[in-house]
C-alpha cells in the first residue's frame, strides 16, 4: 500500500550480503520528493552486512535464515511473506538476494517485485557474469533492472546502464564499476515505477 501519512509507496528490500544497493535505495528514499519509503529489509543470511547498515538508518530489519527450512523453499518464503504483510509492503526489491524464488512467491508479487542483475540482460543470466563478459571479449558490460518472473533473470527489462570494459579489467574491477552504475540505476527505476503506481491511484 501507499502510506496514508507520506503518500509514498511502501518498499521492502531483500538482501543476502553487503547491501550496497540497499544502502543506495535507503539514501534515495531520504530525498524530500522520493516516491517510495523503505519500510523493512530482510536477509536470508543473518550475517549479511547490509542488516547492520539498514538498522543504523532506522529501517526495521529481519533475518529469515533459509537453513532451518532445508529444502522447503516455500516455507522459507512464507516466513518472509509474513514480514512483508506485517509491514504492509507494496513493492519488493531484490538487491543482491542470492536465493532462487519459487512460483509461490513470484506469482504473489507479479508486477511488484524488481531485481537488479549485473549484466546487460539477456546476456549472462545467472552467476559469474563479469568473468563471462571478460572471457567473451566484450567491450562493454552493465546492469539491468527487471520485473521478477518465474524464469531466472528473464522478466521484462525496466532499465539498463552500460559501463566500458577497459584493458586489464578483472572480474573484481569490472564488478566494482558495474556496482557504481547500479547505485544510480536502481533508485531511478524504482522511483519511476512508484511514481506510476501513485499516479494510477
Ligand atoms: C550486485 O552487483 C547485484 O547486481 C548482484 O549482487 C550484487 C549485490 O551487491 N546480484 C546478483 O548477482 C543477482 N543475481 P550489494 O549487496 O552490495 O548490493
Amino acid at each position: 500500500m501507499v502510506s496514508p501519512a507520506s503518500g509514498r509507496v511502501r518498499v521492502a528490500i531483500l538482501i543476502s550480503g553487503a547491501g550496497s544497493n540497499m544502502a543506495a535505495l535507503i539514501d534515495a528514499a531520504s530525498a524530500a520528493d522520493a516516491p517510495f519509503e523503505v519500510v523493512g529489509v530482510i536477509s536470508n543470511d543473518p550475517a549479511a552486512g547490509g542488516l547492520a547498515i539498514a538498522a543504523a538508518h532506522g529501517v526495521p530489519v529481519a533475518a529469515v535464515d533459509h537453513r532451518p527450512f532445508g529444502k522447503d523453499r516455500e516455507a522459507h518464503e512464507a516466513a518472509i511473506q509474513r514480514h512483508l504483510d506485517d509491514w504492509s509492503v507494496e513493492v519488493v526489491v531484490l538487491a543482491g538476494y542470492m536465493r532462487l524464488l519459487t512460483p509461490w512467491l513470484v506469482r504473489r508479487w507479479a508486477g511488484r517485485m524488481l531485481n537488479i542483475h549485473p549484466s546487460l540482460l539477456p546476456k549472462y543470466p545467472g552467476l559469474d557474469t563479469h568473468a563471462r563478459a571478460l572471457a567473451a571479449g566484450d567491450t562493454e558490460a552493465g546492469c539491468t533492472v527487471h520485473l521478477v518472473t518465474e524464469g531466472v533473470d528473464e522478466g521484462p527489462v525496466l532499465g539498463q546502464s552500460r559501463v566500458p570494459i577497459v584493458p586489464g579489467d578483472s572480474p573484481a574491477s569490472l564488478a566494482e564499476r558495474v556496482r557504481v552504475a547500479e547505485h544510480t540505476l536502481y533508485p531511478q527505476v524504482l522511483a519511476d515505477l512508484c511514481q506510476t503506481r501513485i499516479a494510477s491511484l
Side-chain angles (χ1 to χ4, degrees):
M1 63 180 279
V2 171
S3 285
S6 67
R8 300 179 190 212
V9 174
R10 297 174 65 82
V11 168
I13 306 176
L14 270 55
I15 64 169
S16 297
S20 70
N21 278 284
M22 173 212 74
L25 292 164
I26 291 173
D27 187 46
S30 71
D33 59 349
F36 61 88
E37 60 185 316
V38 180
V39 298
V41 170
I42 300 172
S43 174
N44 66 297
D45 180 357
L51 287 175
I53 297 171
H57 282 84
V59 177
V61 297
V64 185
D65 193 344
H66 61 277
R67 287 166 295 192
F69 294 92
K71 293 195 166 123
D72 194 347
R73 287 177 180 269
E74 282 192 14
H76 177 240
E77 291 174 356
I80 290 174
Q81 180 65 40
R82 281 194 283 279
H83 287 287
L84 301 177
D85 288 339
D86 286 348
W87 292 332
S88 300
V89 169
E90 182 173 358
V91 170
V92 174
V93 172
L94 308 182
Y97 187 71
M98 302 308 279
R99 301 276 300 167
L100 294 176
L101 298 177
T102 73
W104 182 84
L105 193 71
V106 170
R107 285 180 193 157
R108 188 170 284 252
W109 289 95
R112 299 189 296 142
M113 182 182 271
L114 277 61
N115 181 44
I116 191 157
H117 184 75
S119 79
L120 295 171
L121 291 172
K123 272 191 159 182
Y124 314 130
L127 299 175
D128 300 323
T129 56
H130 308 300
R132 289 154 69 196
L134 291 172
D138 292 355
T139 56
E140 64 173 7
C143 48
T144 303
V145 176
H146 64 94
L147 287 172
V148 175
T149 56
E150 289 178 38
V152 176
D153 300 328
E154 275 183 9
V157 171
L158 301 181
Q160 286 188 316
S161 184
R162 293 167 187 275
V163 302
I165 292 178
V166 301
D169 257 340
S170 64
S173 66
L174 181 55
E176 187 49 34
R177 193 174 308 117
V178 169
R179 200 169 293 119
V180 170
E182 290 181 336
H183 296 167
T184 303
L185 178 70
Y186 217 175
Q188 281 174 351
V189 172
L190 178 61
D192 288 349
L193 182 108
C194 292
Q195 294 278 19
T196 304
R197 292 189 76 83
I198 292 168
S200 70
L201 287 177

